[in-house]
Amino acid sequence: MTKLLIRGGTVVNHDRSFEADVLCENGIITEVAKGIEAPDAQIVDATGNLVIPGGIDTHTHMQLPFMGTVAVDDFYYGTRAAVVGGTTMILDFVLGPNGEPPLQSYTKWRSWADEKVCCDYSFHVGITWWSDIVAADMEILTKSKGINSFKMFMAYKGVFQLDDHQVINNIFSN
C-alpha cells in the first residue's frame, strides 16, 4: 500500500478553507484532519500552500477530426498537459461524421483514449443526425456506457446541424 501525507496546508473545499493534513492511500483520500500521523507515508510539506481538489475540464477536443483538420492534442499529450496544470478529469467531445452511429463514434474515441489517457475521463456525444439507430444508440450509451451528456448543433448547417423537424418532432417527442 502506498501512502502520501500532505502536511500543514490550507485545504480548499467547495464550502470552506481550513488548515489540515491530507492522507492518501493508494491514490484515495482517506483522512483530512490536523496532526495526522502516518510514519510509513511519503510526506509533502504544504505549509503556506493551498491544497485544492483536481480540476475537471468539461469541454475538450482531444485529436478531434473537425472540418478537414485534426486537433493537435491527442489523448496522451492533451491529458498530460492537463495533469501538469492540475486538471484531473476531462469530458471530451465525441463527434463522428454525419451518418455514423453514435455508438460507433463512441467506440472509436474509446480506442483512441484508452491507450493514451493520463487522467480520468468521460465523454459527451454529438448528435449530428437523427434516426431510430441514433435513438437506440443513445439508450445504450446512457444505460451501458455511462454517457449522460449529448450535444445537438443549431449551427454548421449541412454538416452537423439538426433541423427543427428533427429536434422537435423526433427528439423531444421521445
Side-chain angles (χ1 to χ4, degrees):
M1 177 182 295
T2 59
K3 290 185 180 181
L4 175 69
L5 177 60
I6 303 170
R7 178 167 281 150
T10 301
V11 174
V12 180
N13 284 334
H14 73 287
D15 59 343
R16 65 189 178 117
S17 300
F18 55 98
E19 299 291 320
D21 301 334
V22 178
L23 180 62
C24 302
E25 298 177 272
N26 294 323
I28 297 172
I29 296 172
T30 56
E31 187 177 359
V32 178
K34 282 189 175 184
I36 297 174
E37 293 299 325
D40 55 341
Q42 174 188 349
I43 296 176
V44 174
D45 182 4
T47 303
N49 293 296
L50 301 176
V51 180
I52 61 174
I56 300 172
D57 189 339
T58 61
H59 192 106
T60 64
H61 299 285
M62 302 299 165
Q63 67 193 70
L64 174 70
F66 187 73
M67 301 185 81
T69 65
V70 177
V72 69
D73 285 328
D74 69 2
F75 280 92
Y76 175 70
Y77 289 104
T79 59
R80 183 178 175 197
V83 169
V84 168
T87 297
T88 59
M89 181 176 180
I90 64 165
L91 188 62
D92 199 64
F93 187 46
V94 173
L95 184 61
N98 195 334
E100 182 175 272
L103 188 56
Q104 183 178 336
S105 299
Y106 164 86
T107 301
K108 182 188 327 176
W109 256 256
R110 281 295 305 259
S111 74
W112 292 342
D114 284 347
E115 64 184 38
K116 297 177 184 177
V117 73
C118 299
C119 64
D120 293 333
Y121 77 97
S122 188
F123 294 123
H124 60 130
V125 178
I127 303 301
T128 60
W129 60 291
W130 190 256
S131 75
D132 291 340
I133 293 169
V134 174
D137 278 5
M138 288 176 74
E139 184 173 356
I140 293 167
L141 287 166
T142 55
K143 291 182 177 177
S144 300
K145 306 295 183 185
I147 301 299
N148 61 7
S149 179
F150 295 92
K151 179 175 183 172
M152 296 177 301
F153 287 91
M154 299 306 288
Y156 304 109
K157 189 173 190 161
V159 181
F160 300 127
Q161 181 183 34
L162 296 178
D163 63 36
D164 291 344
H165 173 77
Q166 290 171 311
V167 173
I168 295 168
N169 294 330
N170 294 318
I171 296 174
F172 290 121
S173 67
N174 292 324

